[in-house]
Each structure stands twice: as C-alpha cells, then as structure tokens.
Amino acid sequence: MSEDDDLLAAEYALGLLSPQEAWAAEALLKIDAPLSLRVAWWRDQLSLLAVETETEPAAHVWQAIEKRLGVNDNAIDRARPWKWATGGLSAVAATLLAVIALRPAVAPPPVPVPLPVAAAPMVASLAGEKGMAVTIAFDSSSGRMLVTPVTLDPGKGDAELWVIPVGQTVPISMGVIDAKLAHSRALDARHAAMLAPGATFAISQEAKGGSPTGAAKGPVIALGKIIRV
C-alpha cells in the first residue's frame, strides 16, 4: 500500500475528509479490499487509543476544579471522570494533529457542485477445478476493473479473461491478466458496455501473450457470473 493510500485510510477513519472526498473514498472502498482493511485497522488503533490512554494534566488544574466544586467528600470523585475523559481526548487530538501535519499541501478545493449518485459496483467470483479462484470488481462510474487472483495457474502459458454478455454465447476477450498480483485497468466503452448483471466471466489457459486468433483455444480454468452489490 502506498503512503497516499495509507493517508487516505487514516483521514477517512478520523473523519477529516470533506463530504465530496468522503463520497469518493466510499466508492473506492467498495472495490479496494486492501484499502478497506486499512481503514478498519486505523479505526481499531484509534479506538484503543481513546479508551486506554490515561495521561493527566498537571495537578494544579484539578486542584482548581476541586475548589470550584466546593470542599466536600465527593469533590475528588466528581473530578476524576473528567481526568480520564480529558486524557483520552487529548491523545486523540494529538493524533489528529499529527495526521494533519503529514498531509501534503493542496490547492483550495473547487466550488462544491452536486454529485451524481454512484452506481453500485458489479462483482464476480470465478471458480474452477484444482481450487482456481479469482474475484473481479467493476465500477461503472470510473470505468475501472479490478482483478484479484486468489489461486490461478495458467500452466506454461498465460491466463486470458473473457466475457460472455447477457443473451450471447460467444466469449469476447478482455485480454491477458496477471496470474499472481491484483491489478486494475480502465476499460474502453465497448468492453464496459458488455459488463452487466447476468453476464459471465471466464478465464482460459492460452499461449504466451494470449490467443492469437481472438477466440478461446485453451481449456477454461475458472468461471463465474457478474452480480451487482
């Protein structure tokens, strides 16, 4: 994960993003599993920090509070909860300041404009023999597709991704995919229009560089339908 992604996760968890930035981050979190996990990690760390921190201000501050409360047996007890609360909030505030200090300087934000409602992303879980498993997510608003191989073995060749649009039987090539690493790509309008709930993704074993004829020649090793989430 890059430093920019980590900073985005921290800012989202801390609530530092503007409404427009938060909306964009939420759309990204739906298709970026590592970023979602990082947001959860930040929230977990900040939760522990707020609960467990026991730093107290100087003693004379509480002495002044106790005097204002009056001289009685309950004065110290009434002050103590404020000590814990203030200590925890001070630590969280310090964390916020540290994150803000690390933010790079940016240009003033543009004048807010109404944002369109983002379409829910589409996903597909592909599975096959020998434990083959691949997940694919597509965000129609950005036109980007994220391919995450869980277990994928193209043999001595390459893994090629195909889509079978709804109502059709002929697979259309989406190109060769990386069998080891998650990666995203921008789709052209032609390929993006083929992706809809009910369409099918398939992965075949092809020669290096993919099928030379534009038609699937090798065996299909993973298959799955597209759904909207």
Side-chain angles (χ1 to χ4, degrees):
M1 175 170 292
S2 67
E3 292 183 1
D4 288 342
D5 288 341
D6 189 31
L7 182 58
L8 175 61
E11 291 175 323
Y12 182 79
L14 292 167
L16 297 178
L17 299 179
S18 67
Q20 292 83 5
E21 291 171 331
W23 177 86
E26 288 168 1
L28 185 59
L29 288 171
K30 293 179 180 179
I31 61 172
D32 193 330
L35 186 62
S36 297
L37 290 174
R38 195 60 176 173
V39 169
W41 181 89
W42 270 105
R43 285 175 172 167
D44 183 61
Q45 297 302 307
L46 292 170
S47 174
L48 292 174
L49 182 65
V51 172
E52 296 180 0
T53 301
E54 299 181 358
T55 303
E56 296 187 27
H60 69 274
V61 175
W62 304 121
Q63 292 172 1
I65 292 175
E66 290 165 5
K67 289 180 179 179
R68 293 196 175 191
L69 291 175
V71 180
N72 57 64
D73 294 337
N74 297 323
I76 296 178
D77 291 337
R78 284 190 288 173
R80 183 168 291 117
W82 289 93
K83 296 181 180 181
W84 301 119
T86 306
L89 293 175
S90 297
V92 173
T95 303
L96 291 173
L97 290 174
V99 172
I100 293 172
L102 292 174
R103 298 181 69 184
V106 295
V111 177
V113 295
L115 294 174
V117 177
M122 291 177 278
V123 299
S125 296
L126 285 65
E129 296 181 356
K130 300 180 181 180
M132 301 294 182
V134 178
T135 61
I136 299 176
F138 175 66
D139 180 12
S140 58
S141 61
S142 66
R144 297 195 68 84
M145 180 176 68
L146 175 66
V147 181
T148 305
V150 180
T151 302
L152 183 60
D153 182 8
K156 296 181 179 180
D158 277 330
E160 188 162 356
L161 178 65
W162 308 81
V163 62
I164 305 173
V166 177
Q168 299 186 29
T169 58
V170 179
I172 308 298
S173 176
M174 304 287 286
V176 170
I177 60 174
D178 193 317
K180 300 296 182 184
L181 300 175
H183 58 285
S184 67
R185 63 177 69 175
L187 300 185
D188 57 35
R190 171 176 171 268
H191 285 100
M194 299 178 185
L195 304 188
T200 301
F201 276 127
I203 298 175
S204 64
Q205 287 181 332
E206 301 292 342
K208 284 291 185 181
S211 172
T213 65
K217 296 296 183 181
V220 173
I221 57 177
L223 195 71
K225 282 191 175 294
I226 299 174
I227 63 173
R228 191 180 295 279
V229 296

